[in-house]
Amino acid sequence: MSLDALKREAAARAVALVRDGMKLGLGTGSTAKHFVDLLAARMKAENLSIVAVPTSEATRAQAASLGIPLSTLDETPELDLTVDGADEIDAALSLIKGGGGAHLREKIVALASKRMVVIADETKAVATLGRFPLPLEVIPFGLAATQRNLTKAFAQAGVIGEMKLRIKDGAPFRTDSGNLILDAHLGVIPDPARLAAHLDAVTGLVEHGLFIGVASGAFLATATGIKTLGNVA
Ligand code: 5RP
């Protein structure tokens, strides 16, 4: 089975969690895109009444094109369930997110939800986070100074690595909020909570891609079937 087919399998399992009347958070990325597709199909087939808050402009456009009723966290500040992909997931359900540059809104939406369920193919499961470069959304003002403080935060947290400004189509990548992304190549993050605490203290960093204690469960699609982590009930 292709990786894309595995992503769709995981998304299909998460769509089965949806109940009539739910307020949903919609993630971003290729796996979340399958979820949005399958959700729209199920809503149509079963005439479900759902309202959804997207985590990016891309997901907003996709959901709107499929006729999914959309809301904002201002109108709907508490959600029942957010379903989103991840770049890495460990056994404790700690995540690295932000490969698509949407982790700021993804974290706000996930934290506004009673539960977050991750959908991913098995290649995202790791013993230790850090092989995937950690996305750091930063304010453009004072970038070099913020970068120095991030390097200090890495040292305080016992990790080391290079940061690279994310480039897309030959220009610095801009998030939906107009910020820049630094991708931190750390290799391993032995204590993600410790690193998150040090990063949280850096002014100029808007949000990092570590999601600790945010996801309640996960569907991981493997070649031999779906593996469940945590609580997906
Ligand atoms: C976007 C994200 C995505 O969830 C993450 O990059 C996974 O994407 P994909 O499902 O395409 O592998 O965090 O900011």
Side-chain angles (χ1 to χ4, degrees):
M1 211 188 260
S2 71
L3 269 191
D4 199 53
L6 289 178
K7 289 177 184 192
R8 201 166 178 89
E9 287 281 303
R13 286 292 292 269
V15 166
L17 299 176
V18 174
R19 300 283 172 264
D20 194 30
M22 269 191 170
K23 293 173 271 183
L24 296 177
L26 304 178
T28 295
S30 56
T31 319
K33 192 164 185 284
H34 284 303
F35 177 81
V36 174
D37 275 342
L38 295 168
L39 173 69
R42 192 171 157 220
M43 284 172 66
K44 207 171 275 180
E46 298 178 31
N47 201 22
L48 298 182
S49 168
I50 299 294
V51 67
V53 174
T55 54
S56 64
E57 294 308 318
T59 300
R60 178 189 305 286
Q62 184 202 0
S65 75
L66 295 169
I68 297 175
L70 295 177
S71 186
T72 63
L73 288 183
D74 297 317
E75 297 161 348
T76 314
E78 194 187 24
L79 305 174
D80 297 300
L81 169 68
T82 286
V83 176
D84 202 349
D87 298 300
E88 281 188 350
I89 179 166
D90 72 11
L93 291 173
S94 294
L95 315 174
I96 287 183
K97 286 187 52 56
H103 62 277
L104 170 61
R105 293 190 188 186
E106 289 171 336
K107 199 179 281 188
I108 293 172
V109 170
L111 291 173
S113 303
K114 289 181 196 151
R115 59 202 175 111
M116 176 203 191
V117 169
V118 175
I119 49 176
D121 65 82
E122 61 184 335
T123 63
K124 306 296 183 65
V126 296
T128 308
L129 298 181
R131 190 182 57 208
F132 190 90
L134 178 65
L136 305 168
E137 178 162 345
V138 293
I139 296 278
F141 179 85
L143 178 62
T146 302
Q147 220 164 326
R148 284 189 71 216
N149 287 329
L150 287 167
T151 303
K152 283 184 202 161
F154 293 160
Q156 284 160 353
V159 297
I160 191 161
E162 216 189 307
M163 276 170 276
K164 289 188 186 151
L165 183 66
R166 192 179 296 184
I167 302 290
K168 193 177 175 197
D169 301 329
F173 173 86
R174 292 281 181 160
T175 67
D176 283 345
S177 303
N179 296 315
L180 302 170
I181 301 254
L182 294 168
D183 290 304
H185 296 250
L186 301 173
V188 283
I189 304 174
D191 187 343
R194 182 171 168 217
L195 176 59
H198 283 287
L199 291 175
D200 284 339
V202 176
T203 303
L205 172 68
V206 184
E207 195 52 77
H208 55 77
L210 287 169
F211 285 47
I212 319 277
V214 179
S216 36
F219 289 117
L220 289 183
T222 77
T224 52
I226 298 279
K227 198 172 151 191
T228 298
L229 297 185
N231 182 9
V232 290

